[in-house]
Amino acid sequence: MKTVLVIGGGITGLSAMFELHKWKKTNQSNVRLILAEASSELGGKIRTVKEGGFVMEAGADSIVARKANAMSFIEELGLDDEVVYNAAGRSFIYTEGGLKQIPADAVFGIPTSIESLAKTTLISAEGKVEALKDFYTKNDSFTKNDSIGDFLEYFFGKELVEKQIAPVLSGVYSGQLSDLTIASTLPYLLDYKKEYGSIIKGFEANKKKFQSGSGKKFISFRSGLGKLIDAYEEKLENAEILKNTMVSKIEKVEERYQVTFQNREIIEADFIVMSIPNTEAEKLFIDQELGKGFSQLKNSSLISIYVGFDLPNSVLPEDGTGFITADSKNILCNACTWTSRKWEHTSASKNLLVRLFYKSSLPSFGELSKMNEEELLQVALTDIGKSLGITADPISKEITKWTDSMPNYLISHPHSVEELEKKFVASYPGIMLAGCSYYGVGIPDCIENGAKVAGEIIHSL
Ligand code: FAD
């Protein structure tokens, strides 16, 4: 009898196990399916916390609707009736001590028409004139492996990139624009430059693709994103789900693998899905070559702070759903989502709930990361006071430190992953890397990757 072990019960591991489980059932196979999860709960970076009448997400809060709707997992898990969409609203940038609106038709802060550029209040007249370079500067040298920051600055100038595009784009792709490639962010901008001679003209010609009509671009579930995790768990009745089970060592013994759990129990497996962060995967092998490979992958940190108030949503700027900070002289947070405005299901009483993000790129992050919850709450309350003018006492909070656990896809990332894959194929056949550390951080990417890895194992079973 063959054994497949999935290590890590985040969304990637669950998706892999779901596919393996379906196959086992359909084919009446006697394959043994085991999922080992270190923590007492499944979900990893998806964890819903309910408190004080609020629904808060310790990690991920939503799924890109366009991607989710093109996949089958919602239907397969019977979640159609649970889906909720974000409320469309205006986004702001906090700059020069106040909130300024991001032009409504901008995509990741990039103007999509000449009017959008003309109307923005975020940059100076000189900055706007400089950005017109996009219309008359050809792309002679940039390829998809160049930095998206250099590319945008070359055609739009420094001011537009620094004040309007970088705050949005760095937030979405978690990194400095100089460290991110065109390929891993907005590869279609190269096509626009080639086809239309201008990025703005490219957006104008492809307007329809970016108009979501209602602006409802993200989904979650009525009782929070944790519903997705519960739905997967409920479907896995023929798999052994071992919680509080941390894998501490993997050794190759002839054609199989000997896997040691932290409680010293040992099992043997024929195939292993490594759906755990690279920092954890690295610890499981006594192998210098693998160690070198894993160390090429980089992660950053983030602190998420929710604060709930006994105040109505109407204290917020009208129609607004949050802001991104462009200059951190006055406030510390990188961004603030007005959660109860953006997601109706998060606050049944319609009381105000906001979420602040603090990233490790902040000069003060070292200090923040050492603070306890009470100190962090005070930092958040100061930022809320300065940006929104709210000085009321909070009624709820949820603070999560994500230390070294946000993957950064640097320019070298694809090459580093490829090298690591080669090492596994050569020395550890049957062990598959999976998940956000390697193949995409978005939940749909993780689900797709889990299913793909499961498919490869099924092929060999
Ligand atoms: P993880 O969720 O990290 O799961 C790995 C699991 O492995 C964990 O449960 C862990 O306990 C377990 N584990 C670790 N070591 C061991 C071991 N030795 N033995 C056994 N088990 C082990 N994505 C979106 O699409 N939308 C969002 O809105 C969004 N927002 C985010 C906000 C934050 C704050 C964070 C942190 C991430 C966000 N993401 C978002 C990204 C997304 O949540 C993750 O990329 C995805 O959930 C990762 O899933 P995973 O299964 O690959 O890894």
Side-chain angles (χ1 to χ4, degrees), residues 6-15 35-47 57-64 174 218-219 225 229 242 244-249 260-262 274-277 279-281 283-284 302-304 343 355 357 400-402 405-407 409 434-438 440-447 449:
V6 174
I7 310 178
I11 190 69
T12 308
L14 286 169
S15 164
L35 186 149
E37 164 55 50
S39 132
S40 59
E41 282 174 65
L42 299 176
K45 297 186 178 93
I46 300 177
R47 182 164 63 86
E57 304 289 352
D61 73 357
S62 56
I63 308 176
V64 174
S174 299
F218 301 97
I219 62 164
L225 218 49
I229 302 303
L242 311 176
N244 295 309
T245 304
M246 182 165 210
V247 173
S248 55
K249 195 159 72 179
T260 309
F261 296 153
Q262 205 178 33
M274 298 274 292
S275 41
I276 53 178
T279 45
E280 299 301 316
K283 295 177 195 161
L284 306 186
L302 178 137
I303 301 173
S304 153
W343 295 101
R355 184 185 195 187
F357 297 92
T400 313
K401 289 183 181 175
W402 292 103
S405 47
M406 311 286 293
Y409 290 175
C436 64
S437 291
Y438 318 96
V441 295
I443 293 167
D445 301 315
C446 292
I447 293 177
N449 179 239

Side-chain angles (χ1 to χ4, degrees), residues 252-291:
K252 193 161 190 291
V253 178
E254 292 168 13
E255 296 306 300
R256 301 189 91 197
Y257 294 100
Q258 197 173 72
V259 180
T260 309
F261 296 153
Q262 205 178 33
N263 66 6
R264 302 227 173 90
E265 196 187 318
I266 292 175
I267 63 159
E268 287 203 350
D270 301 278
F271 296 94
I272 299 178
V273 178
M274 298 274 292
S275 41
I276 53 178
N278 64 297
T279 45
E280 299 301 316
E282 181 178 358
K283 295 177 195 161
L284 306 186
F285 299 89
I286 306 164
D287 185 321
Q288 276 191 350
E289 275 304 301
L290 278 189

